[in-house]
Amino acid sequence: WPKDVGILALEVYFPAQYVDQTDLEKYNNVAAGKYTVGLGQNQMGFCSVQEDINSLCLTVVQQLMERTQIPWDSVGRLEVGTETIIDKSKAVKTVLMELFQDSGNTDIEGIDTTNACYGGTASLFNAANWMESSSWDGRYAMVVCGDIAVYANGSARPTGGAGAVAMLVGPEAPLALERGLRGTHMENVYDFYKPDLASEYPVVDGKLSIECYFRALDRCYSFYRQKIQKQWKQAGIDRPFNLEDFQFLIFHTPFCKLVQKSLARLMFNDFLSASSDIQSSHYKGLEAFRGLKLEDTYNNRDVDAAFQKASLDMFNKKTKASLYLSTHNGNMYTSSLYGCLASLLSLYSAQDLAGSRIGAFSYGSGLAASLFSLRASKDASPGSPLEKLVSSVSDLPNRLASRKRVSAEEFTEVMNQREQFCHKVNFSPPGDTNSLFPGTWYLEQVDELYRRKYARRP
Ligand code: CAA
């Protein structure tokens, strides 16, 4: 087996325009604070009709290749995770081959993987599994995940967003996937799904989706703990795993407030499984919650409030920084978790991260979920792979700050245009390509046979 398979490099793409959530609160006539405080969202990025899932992925792959300067023929597997489906047969991956085939490299395995927001994680697991199998040919794998998250007018609309992440996967990575440490929960539920193939909008049962997210989190954490404790036992360590064993924790982020509640919920899991004689300062004053069952508490507001309070310091230390991109750009579905990883890397130094275990919870409605962990390498010296990875994303806050703020009226107009154009044939998307970031790929034309042509903004 190659050693320490994981993430060598990472690139994030988000749209060059956003709507401010305070503007949306006014426009939608809801109480001030509902989106900004209640959901924890400040801004939401969105794409004009000039961008689609293919253009987002073309851009992020091109940027990753340009930043890392690796040869185009050094990639032997390319996986795409997305739930933004514009063709029921032709994979986004095949469009990305446009970038590789000029170099003569057509020997690239991998296609698209879809299950709501989980496709990126499934792709990452596939890429690592390939590298640890007899099929590996010694080259890099690339994992691309991206989505355009748009909702019909209503309470879910402020939880939209858009973006893409590309990751270079290889051995001796500064962020290695910890072997054997994946807790997974999958079940059949209708919490969020997209049965209407003519629409970009999902059907969503918001309350049920949150309950399903929490149940999946509980189950994945339980399986993860069982697996790590088994590994520990074999190594002679006999103590329960708890949240303190993660130095950082990142979560799929449909909206930031849910992540704060989720960390609180994990602490509630620890609390319920710890014997009552454990004196933890976190648990002071929480004894009243001792006999409760996890499955009875998905909507228990007292548990939520008490454990949010108890876990606040931990949230500030281990998770808050990872929400930077989500707060400013919104949900990116499959790429949301990896945007959280990028945020964490951009706001902490290599020294802060060195040697840490980063817990990562991936959730895709329907549902598929996993909790896994990444281990940061110990070497954080200048020029080390970890230091290079960290410095490669340090411009994230500045890039976000350089976007254009547009009004809620203009945002709504673009949503209406997307409804009109999303499956149209024989057209060129209207709009000014100067509103895109330099170097962005965009949709130039859809011909009468639905064939899409892309161009790149200089
Ligand atoms: N000031 C401060 N807070 C306020 C407020 C105000 N003026 N008004 C309301 N709030 C608070 C509420 O108290 C509530 O917080 P608590 O839950 O902590 O009490 C919060 O704002 C949300 O308000 P509502 O409960 O009234 O909910 P809503 O009708 O606005 O809907 C939602 C919220 C269900 C998340 C909806 O936006 C939605 O359906 N979003 C899409 C589905 C989703 O994101 N689900 C998450 C799990 S599924 C998943 O993870 C997959 C995925 O990516 C989609």
Side-chain angles (χ1 to χ4, degrees):
W1 277 348
K3 207 169 154 278
D4 292 338
V5 170
I7 300 166
L8 296 162
L10 178 145
E11 187 70 39
V12 184
Y13 173 73
F14 45 80
Q17 58 190 357
Y18 71 90
V19 59
D20 200 87
Q21 295 278 7
T22 55
D23 293 343
L24 265 190
E25 284 171 350
K26 285 186 206 126
Y27 181 80
N28 289 340
N29 230 345
V30 300
K34 183 162 165 78
Y35 305 156
T36 45
V37 181
L39 300 176
Q41 293 301 128
N42 290 358
Q43 296 161 355
M44 177 167 60
F46 64 97
C47 294
S48 74
V49 287
Q50 293 171 313
E51 292 187 90
D52 66 11
I53 185 57
N54 292 335
S55 72
L56 255 57
C57 292
L58 282 165
T59 302
V60 79
V61 169
Q62 180 99 47
Q63 285 175 346
L64 183 65
M65 293 302 287
E66 284 173 1
R67 199 195 283 268
T68 56
Q69 296 280 301
I70 58 164
W72 290 95
D73 62 1
S74 65
V75 176
R77 189 176 183 96
L78 199 159
E79 298 257 350
V80 178
T82 186
E83 59 166 296
T84 306
I85 308 298
I86 51 177
D87 193 298
K88 283 177 273 177
S89 170
K90 185 172 165 54
V92 175
K93 154 68 185 296
T94 61
V95 178
L96 297 179
M97 287 309 297
E98 187 87 24
L99 298 175
F100 288 84
Q101 63 205 21
D102 283 352
S103 74
N105 182 13
T106 58
D107 179 16
I108 307 182
E109 287 188 11
I111 46 164
D112 295 4
T113 301
T114 297
N115 187 91
C117 310
Y118 188 77
T121 298
S123 301
L124 180 61
F125 290 176
N126 285 347
N129 292 349
W130 172 68
M131 210 152 269
E132 293 177 351
S133 77
S134 62
S135 305
W136 188 42
D137 65 2
R139 292 185 292 165
Y140 296 115
M142 191 178 286
V143 170
V144 186
C145 38
D147 278 299
I148 296 175
V150 283
Y151 292 91
N153 207 5
S155 63
R157 182 162 269 187
T159 59
V165 171
M167 293 174 273
L168 190 68
V169 176
E172 294 178 31
L175 286 180
L177 285 154
E178 290 201 293
R179 284 215 170 106
L181 296 183
R182 297 176 189 172
T184 289
H185 173 70
M186 301 208 180
E187 64 172 281
N188 181 21
V189 282
Y190 281 92
D191 61 330
F192 165 112
Y193 45 107
K194 294 181 180 163
D196 182 354
L197 299 174
S199 167
E200 287 197 294
Y201 300 143
V203 175
V204 55
D205 181 338
K207 298 290 170 214
L208 176 66
S209 72
I210 293 169
E211 191 177 315
C212 291
Y213 184 106
F214 285 154
R215 183 166 61 247
L217 181 66
D218 293 345
R219 302 301 294 269
C220 289
Y221 186 42
S222 165
F223 293 133
Y224 180 93
R225 277 191 306 193
Q226 283 169 30
K227 289 181 189 180
I228 196 165
Q229 280 170 200
K230 198 167 160 205
Q231 283 192 0
W232 279 1
K233 212 161 194 166
Q234 280 160 0
I237 304 163
D238 195 9
R239 69 167 179 85
F241 180 91
N242 64 49
L243 288 184
E244 295 298 353
D245 295 303
F246 289 122
Q247 283 66 53
F248 298 98
L249 270 150
I250 59 175
F251 298 81
H252 167 62
T253 306
F255 55 95
C256 294
K257 198 57 189 265
L258 188 66
V259 169
Q260 191 165 356
K261 288 170 184 278
S262 297
L263 186 73
R265 187 143 187 104
L266 287 181
M267 184 178 275
F268 181 51
N269 273 255
D270 271 1
F271 167 78
L272 290 186
S273 60
S275 64
S276 53
D277 55 321
I278 289 187
Q279 294 298 318
S280 166
S281 56
H282 297 313
Y283 305 152
K284 239 169 114 193
L286 297 172
E287 281 311 313
F289 300 107
R290 189 68 67 189
L292 292 176
K293 287 201 177 81
L294 283 170
E295 56 273 26
D296 297 335
T297 58
Y298 303 127
N299 299 305
N300 187 320
R301 303 186 70 82
D302 295 335
V303 169
D304 177 35
F307 282 86
Q308 270 198 61
K309 194 166 163 224
S311 60
L312 186 61
D313 280 352
M314 191 182 275
F315 172 74
N316 287 334
K317 254 198 340 235
K318 300 190 186 209
T319 299
K320 192 174 176 194
S322 71
L323 297 178
Y324 194 83
L325 178 58
S326 301
T327 314
H328 293 89
N329 187 48
N331 196 354
M332 306 194 296
Y333 289 165
T334 50
S335 41
S336 158
L337 179 67
Y338 302 96
C340 290
L341 182 61
S343 299
L344 192 73
L345 298 175
S346 76
L347 297 187
Y348 283 103
S349 69
Q351 282 83 358
D352 295 331
L353 294 158
S356 63
R357 169 179 287 127
I358 303 170
F361 176 64
S362 180
Y363 178 83
S365 290
L367 72 83
S370 293
L371 177 64
F372 61 102
S373 50
L374 296 158
R375 176 70 87 170
S377 56
K378 292 202 176 95
D379 182 6
S381 58
S384 63
L386 182 62
E387 192 271 333
K388 278 193 196 154
L389 175 63
V390 167
S391 57
S392 75
V393 287
S394 61
D395 60 350
L396 190 70
N398 285 341
R399 284 174 57 207
L400 279 166
S402 71
R403 294 170 307 161
K404 181 177 164 218
R405 175 176 177 167
V406 304
S407 67
E409 287 77 8
E410 211 177 316
F411 161 73
T412 309
E413 179 53 34
V414 171
M415 290 300 105
N416 295 341
Q417 272 191 354
R418 290 199 69 86
E419 282 177 24
Q420 194 190 332
F421 283 106
C422 77
H423 289 292
K424 200 170 152 65
V425 292
N426 208 5
F427 82 108
S428 292
D432 178 8
T433 56
N434 285 329
S435 62
L436 303 168
F437 284 125
T440 302
W441 283 89
Y442 60 91
L443 177 63
E444 198 176 36
Q445 197 211 1
V446 183
D447 75 10
E448 68 287 358
L449 289 177
Y450 291 89
R451 291 173 299 199
R452 288 173 181 247
K453 206 169 140 227
Y454 297 89
R456 193 177 182 207
R457 210 211 119 171

